[in-house]
Amino acid sequence: MKLVISCMDRRLNAYLKKNYGDAIVVRNAGANLKSLQKTLEKYKYSATEVIILPHTDCGAMKVVYSSLKEGKKITFLVEENLVSQFTNNEFNSLTELERLNLKIQMENARRIFGDKVRGELIDINRIEIPPSKEPYSVYVTSPSLPLNMDSNTYVISADKSDIWDSLDIAVYGMKINKILVSDEKLFDKIRSSYPSVTVTRSS
């Protein structure tokens, strides 16, 4: 089984569907494996190939950069699960940080999956991105084959225990005000956690 770990960015939807249509795809903010412990447990022995796919112009990396270089406040979960991985590393630009993220996530993946891991930093300027229109939303679901999602929708596909820092980035960092949820039990919890955001059930 091929396992892809990538970012929730809406601009990757068509790319992942076209190029990794036969893979199980896990997505969160920044392709951050530290936040995916519960999710990845399920694939530790069944995955025969693991592909790490962060990208350039990444919103999650902009949050990390602004936190460490500009002192902007973030939530505890984002600090603990994402930003903390970069605090002891040198970088002087967002580009350097994005390359560093690929390196760190590859190392994280190899601790779990060994030599099955490969990775690539997707250049967002070199992939085909269908037209989109604001306002954007974020769709929360379980890992699956790539979904037929338009370019208006960010996708978090992970175990329900692993979604919260990505939602914090979507809501507080990227100011997304609509969340679509496929899990009925998760719906109420997300709605109570983000009362200022419109939360909708989606199939």
Side-chain angles (χ1 to χ4, degrees), residues 49-148:
E49 182 181 7
V50 180
I51 307 165
I52 312 301
L53 296 174
H55 64 97
T56 61
D57 192 38
C58 178
M61 292 302 100
K62 290 176 183 178
V63 168
V64 173
Y65 190 90
S66 65
S67 173
L68 294 178
K69 296 296 187 181
E70 300 166 7
K72 290 189 178 179
K73 293 183 179 180
I74 51 170
T75 68
F76 172 79
L77 273 180
V78 176
E79 171 67 37
E80 182 73 14
N81 292 340
L82 180 63
V83 176
S84 64
Q85 298 174 86
F86 302 91
T87 53
N88 295 321
N89 292 277
E90 288 292 329
F91 59 90
N92 296 305
S93 67
L94 181 62
T95 299
E96 289 182 9
L97 177 60
E98 289 167 343
R99 291 173 183 157
L100 178 61
N101 184 45
L102 173 61
K103 178 184 176 183
I104 287 174
Q105 303 314 327
M106 291 275 290
E107 291 171 351
N108 288 340
R110 288 190 175 115
R111 291 189 191 100
I112 302 169
F113 299 104
D115 59 5
K116 302 172 187 176
V117 177
R118 63 183 176 90
E120 174 189 355
L121 182 65
I122 299 170
D123 186 341
I124 208 73
N125 295 312
R126 294 190 175 186
I127 65 173
E128 184 177 348
I129 304 171
S132 63
K133 185 178 180 181
E134 294 189 57
Y136 301 130
S137 61
V138 57
Y139 180 57
V140 181
T141 188
S142 301
S144 66
L145 297 175
L147 302 169
N148 285 315

